[in-house]
Amino acid sequence: MRTDSSPGSLPAREHLPAAGAGTPVLDVVVPVYNEEKDLGPCVRRLHEHLTRTFPYAFRITVADNASTDGTPRVAAGLAADLGTVRSVRLEQKGRGRALRTVWSASDAPVLAYMDVDLSTDLNALLPLVAPLISGHSDLAIGSRLARSSRVVRGAKREFISRTYNLILRGSLQARFSDAQCGFKAIRRDVAQVLLPLVEDTGWFFDTEMLVLAERAGCRIHEVPVDWVDDPDSTVHIVRTATEDLKGVWRVGKALATGSLPLDRLGRPFGDDPRDRELSGVPQGLARQLVGFCVVGALSTLFYLLLYSGFRHFTGSQLANALALLVSAVANTAANRRLTFGVRGRGGAVRHQAQGLVVFGIGLALTSGSLAALGAASADPDHSTELAVLIAANLAATVLRFLLFRAWVFPDAEPTAPAREPGLPEPGPRESRLPEPGPRQSPLPESRLPESQLPETHRPEPHLPDPYRAWSDATVRLQPVRHADTDHCRDAR
């Protein structure tokens, strides 16, 4: 996983204003590999549907993943016949690579993709992108596992899909219901920040992007879809499942070790009501108490197991000290990440040092309790020792929470991301995006320089216009009447 600094903070959500004509509002990417048979009917059907139902300007981009059949010829023919269709050729395979390349270079404010087999009913397309245009959500996905979805597919694919999503929920704490449905959309400003962090270039690309977006505080909108399985699908189920499980392990490890810079993206939006300051209400106290109690209960069990084990080889005082030392290090690390939400390695040594001071206080309480028990009874039972230690640990736990909150992690509450020096603070309704203007550098400020990106993250150098450069200005939208669209098509 990437461990460098985040490429930038996400801007506040804004409704894309419907005023003025120009850049397409929606760019639908259709990634293909050796699909010369299905590509033509798919794109023509999609084009007809968008022309008839979508109220804004749109573009369809065919992303050819190094096809070896007649797919490039078919894509070029579609681009010549339909003015709103573009064709992009990539010399390497990988659906994730195709989406990153086209999305990174697109000038449309809303980016989407769908599979070439059109298994998903197109009537869900407008509900998919509408929350992104309105500013309500940042990503949108079609879900085949929602209760109101209507799905026709075999038992094997159904079992694999549900098992995979259960794995995501159990291992990565994902809250979205369907990671694999080939029907997704994202706002361009969000994509420009998230895509450099996504490492996978294949089928796991969707899952990795959704997990990182969710951890970064993005809102994911789910749309129940009507979906019919394609019996002629060329997806290799076993190989894809194996690669997905490897991706789950890689992302889970990066999240557990804090190597991803998501702390600089967390809670990035100025319109989150949880960020509002309320007098007399300590923010995060209830959540921290619950997390601390859970960690404390597990730490106590861990401590008692250690104490019982050490007690077979040494005296009660030394066993208590060793058990407390080991459990204190684990307790501080768990509370740092789970209770107070501190990610990354910055300050970890200082936090552990302060945690050891708190450990010293707990050691004094428990050791003093054992000393008092020894003075009262020359040979106390092991069960009595444990009861005294539990009572002493409860007292030490309360003091530990207060010290953690006030001294060890006093600044753990989420704060608004720092603004770049020299930029004015926007007003309550002022957009954080730049005003429309002339075309700027092909690399917006929120993206890393191309020279610092891995090879798999760099856009293809031979993309046709309008993918060579794009404006970072807010696109002003205007509903496109069908008559206007037909007139433009006739004029071509």
Side-chain angles (χ1 to χ4, degrees), residues 12-259:
R13 299 184 191 96
E14 293 288 343
H15 189 293
L16 301 174
T23 305
V25 176
L26 174 65
D27 192 349
V28 183
V29 182
V30 182
V32 291
Y33 174 73
N34 290 347
E35 297 285 356
E36 62 177 342
K37 177 181 177 182
D38 296 331
L39 179 58
C42 160
V43 172
R44 293 186 184 277
R45 179 183 166 193
L46 175 60
H47 181 272
E48 188 275 334
H49 177 83
L50 287 172
T51 301
R52 179 168 48 87
T53 65
F54 194 67
Y56 301 109
F58 64 88
R59 176 191 300 129
I60 301 173
T61 302
V62 179
D64 176 21
N65 285 134
S67 296
T68 57
D69 62 357
T71 298
R73 174 181 50 79
V74 176
L78 292 169
D81 294 342
L82 306 173
T84 55
V85 175
R86 297 289 184 270
S87 175
V88 176
R89 168 76 176 181
L90 289 87
E91 299 303 329
Q92 292 178 290
K93 292 178 60 177
R95 183 180 67 173
R97 177 179 288 106
L99 294 178
R100 178 189 292 115
T101 300
V102 178
W103 280 358
S104 297
S106 179
D107 53 356
V110 177
L111 311 168
Y113 96 89
M114 63 180 58
D115 292 335
V116 69
D117 56 16
L118 293 186
S119 296
T120 305
D121 183 51
L122 292 178
N123 287 325
L125 183 56
L126 185 55
L128 183 80
V129 301
L132 309 188
I133 294 176
S134 70
H136 175 271
S137 301
D138 312 297
L139 296 90
I141 64 174
S143 175
R144 300 163 297 182
L145 303 181
R147 291 187 176 182
S148 56
S149 298
R150 300 168 182 174
V151 177
V152 178
R153 63 175 168 180
K156 182 174 69 172
R157 284 181 175 269
E158 181 77 10
F159 174 78
I160 292 175
S161 179
R162 292 188 178 274
T163 301
Y164 179 65
N165 283 279
L166 285 176
I167 291 174
L168 294 181
R169 289 175 176 270
S171 60
L172 301 180
Q173 288 79 51
R175 296 192 296 271
F176 46 85
S177 65
D178 191 352
Q180 294 176 308
C181 182
F183 195 68
K184 296 181 176 67
I186 185 173
R187 286 176 62 110
R188 180 174 66 102
D189 50 5
V190 178
Q192 288 179 344
V193 177
L194 286 181
L195 291 184
L197 300 177
V198 180
E199 184 174 315
D200 191 79
T201 60
W203 292 96
F204 187 69
F205 174 89
D206 304 48
T207 302
E208 185 172 357
M209 180 182 67
L210 289 174
V211 170
L212 298 186
E214 196 171 65
R215 293 299 184 97
C218 296
R219 176 176 287 164
I220 301 175
H221 177 72
E222 296 197 12
V223 178
V225 298
D226 297 345
W227 195 85
V228 179
D229 192 9
D230 178 16
D232 299 324
S233 175
T234 58
V235 178
H236 194 287
I237 297 179
V238 176
R239 182 171 62 246
T240 302
T242 302
E243 294 300 322
D244 286 346
L245 292 177
K246 291 180 180 179
V248 170
W249 169 260
R250 173 174 53 82
V251 173
K253 181 180 178 181
L255 293 174
T257 58
S259 60

Side-chain angles (χ1 to χ4, degrees), residues 291-490:
F292 185 83
C293 289
V294 172
V295 173
L298 296 176
S299 298
T300 300
L301 292 176
F302 184 49
Y303 161 78
L304 292 176
L305 290 174
L306 290 174
Y307 176 81
S308 298
F310 292 145
R311 190 66 176 84
H312 292 295
F313 307 102
T314 184
S316 61
Q317 292 288 0
L318 182 57
N320 174 61
L322 291 175
L324 267 180
L325 177 61
V326 176
S327 61
V329 173
N331 181 277
T332 301
N335 276 306
R336 181 179 186 270
R337 177 65 179 87
L338 302 177
T339 303
F340 298 96
V342 179
R343 299 184 178 93
R345 301 175 182 176
V349 176
R350 175 175 59 84
H351 293 155
Q352 283 292 349
Q354 292 173 315
L356 290 177
V357 174
V358 178
F359 149 76
I361 298 175
L363 177 62
L365 286 174
T366 53
S367 297
S369 300
L370 285 176
L373 179 62
S377 175
D379 188 20
D381 294 336
H382 184 63
S383 58
T384 305
E385 284 185 347
L386 291 180
V388 171
L389 287 174
I390 290 174
N393 266 285
L394 288 176
T397 297
V398 175
L399 182 60
R400 186 184 304 120
F401 176 75
L402 296 177
L403 290 175
F404 273 0
R405 182 174 172 85
W407 179 49
V408 182
F409 307 107
D411 301 323
E413 288 296 327
T415 57
R419 295 184 55 79
E420 294 294 333
L423 293 180
E425 185 70 25
R429 293 184 176 273
E430 181 182 349
S431 170
R432 295 174 185 258
L433 297 177
E435 290 299 322
R439 289 191 179 272
Q440 303 169 2
S441 169
L443 287 174
E445 292 182 0
S446 61
R447 286 181 53 79
L448 292 173
E450 183 175 328
S451 59
Q452 297 182 16
L453 291 178
E455 291 292 336
T456 57
H457 291 64
R458 300 182 184 179
E460 294 292 317
H462 53 280
L463 296 178
D465 291 333
Y467 297 103
R468 295 190 184 279
W470 66 93
S471 170
D472 202 37
T474 301
V475 178
R476 302 192 177 277
L477 316 182
Q478 181 181 26
V480 178
R481 299 188 300 274
H482 305 315
D484 295 339
T485 306
D486 295 337
H487 173 76
C488 294
R489 186 167 58 249
D490 295 340

